[in-house]
Amino acid sequence: MSTDKTNPLLCDPETGTCEMPIHEKANETAIIPTADKPIKIIYYTDPICSSCWGIEPQLRKLKLEYGNYIDIDYRMGGLLPDWSYNSGGISKPSDVAHHWEEASLYYEMPIDGNVWLEDPLDSSYPSCIAMKAAQIQSKDKAVKFMRILREKLYLEKKNIAKWENISEAAELSGLDTKKLKWDYEGEAKVLFQEDLNYARSLGVRGFPTLFFSDGNQNQLTVYGSKPYASYENAILALFPDAKKKKTANEHPLALFEIYPTLAPKEYAVILDISYAEAHTILEQLFEKGELNKKSVKNGVLYGKK
């Protein structure tokens, strides 16, 4: 794999990051936590970041186990402004297809890279701006919205730069699509620019980047896709009194009440079981008619019926 780090779409599974070209030196910026939770996490991501799709298992587990202590602020990174990049062997959309196949196998998360051959995105800015528009309506619905956008992109090979696909994802996540369109064309563009400016002030070099902070100017950064313990340890270092909530549940369908769709890797990480065991359990539930299943060439996603 190329070591050229100037192309944002050349996400390196070894480091777990999709890196941006180097910006000017950043100023140190303090992160102020919200009043109601002891830990604030600023999560810089992008809907088309394959490494961010790779940390969905860890992030979902973190919310289940430490949700009482953390407030996650989703910020958009603008991974692909346009196709003016030409480095690391990626100069056009079709170059990304094979790269995404590699990422899928590495993270054990389902991705079909053929979207870059069949209906390639010209930018990630539309989906980033749509996410900011969704946040104006509801933070919780916005998180669902981004998940649905990603499933459309990675599994259904839908171009999420197109409004028709953005609108459909918005409807599925319970957002008001007319308001979303209005905000998308107005305030959301300003909010997205603020995210880009803030990223520079924080020194964000790539995605995923998670900044953990407490109320005493203490900050820790977890950069890239890392094992679950890296994120958990950041919380415990800043707030040692945090008590882990048990996620294991005797009923195998219980997780689907919280997360309507789960890949085997997510199910495995959340329940601390092997990928093979998770796949077997989920496949049995599917065969009994208790789950839906969406298969792509590099994996599968199970869904609540």
Side-chain angles (χ1 to χ4, degrees), residues 51-124:
S51 295
C52 300
W53 183 238
I55 72 158
E56 281 285 279
Q58 295 93 306
L59 205 56
R60 285 181 146 191
K61 184 180 178 73
L62 204 69
K63 289 177 186 177
L64 286 172
E65 293 194 336
Y66 294 100
N68 292 337
Y69 305 97
I70 61 175
D71 175 58
I72 303 178
D73 181 7
Y74 285 75
R75 299 287 185 132
M76 297 299 106
L79 184 58
L80 180 67
D82 53 44
W83 279 99
S84 62
Y85 295 99
N86 182 2
S87 60
I90 292 180
S91 60
K92 57 188 183 298
S94 59
D95 295 333
V96 186
H98 175 67
H99 180 62
W100 270 21
E101 307 288 323
E102 288 181 337
S104 178
L105 296 171
Y106 187 89
Y107 294 121
E108 297 181 297
M109 286 289 284
I111 301 176
D112 188 333
N114 281 0
V115 65
W116 296 103
L117 305 175
E118 297 169 16
D119 191 5
L121 292 76
D122 52 11
S123 171
S124 72

Side-chain angles (χ1 to χ4, degrees), residues 177-245:
T177 53
K178 283 185 182 170
K179 176 166 170 50
L180 190 86
K181 180 73 166 171
W182 175 263
D183 291 331
Y184 174 83
E185 307 210 324
E187 188 184 351
K189 290 182 179 177
V190 177
L191 294 173
F192 175 48
Q193 188 57 52
E194 285 174 4
D195 278 5
L196 296 180
N197 296 342
Y198 193 35
R200 279 194 277 277
S201 75
L202 290 171
V204 174
R205 303 194 312 280
F207 319 108
T209 298
L210 288 87
F211 299 96
F212 295 73
S213 67
D214 64 9
N216 302 308
Q217 302 261 313
N218 297 309
Q219 290 180 199
L220 291 168
T221 305
V222 180
Y223 181 52
S225 178
K226 296 290 185 287
Y228 180 70
S230 299
Y231 306 99
E232 181 179 39
N233 290 343
I235 290 171
L236 294 174
L238 292 170
F239 194 72
D241 292 340
K243 299 284 185 291
K244 181 191 293 196
K245 190 177 175 185

Side-chain angles (χ1 to χ4, degrees), residues 9-45:
L9 283 170
L10 194 68
C11 303
D12 184 351
E14 296 296 331
T15 61
T17 54
C18 302
E19 290 212 35
M20 295 291 285
I22 299 298
H23 293 297
E24 64 275 9
K25 177 112 176 55
N27 300 316
E28 281 296 312
T29 302
I31 295 165
I32 311 300
T34 49
D36 53 339
K37 302 280 180 80
I39 302 292
K40 174 159 185 173
I41 300 171
I42 288 181
Y43 174 30
Y44 262 96
T45 183

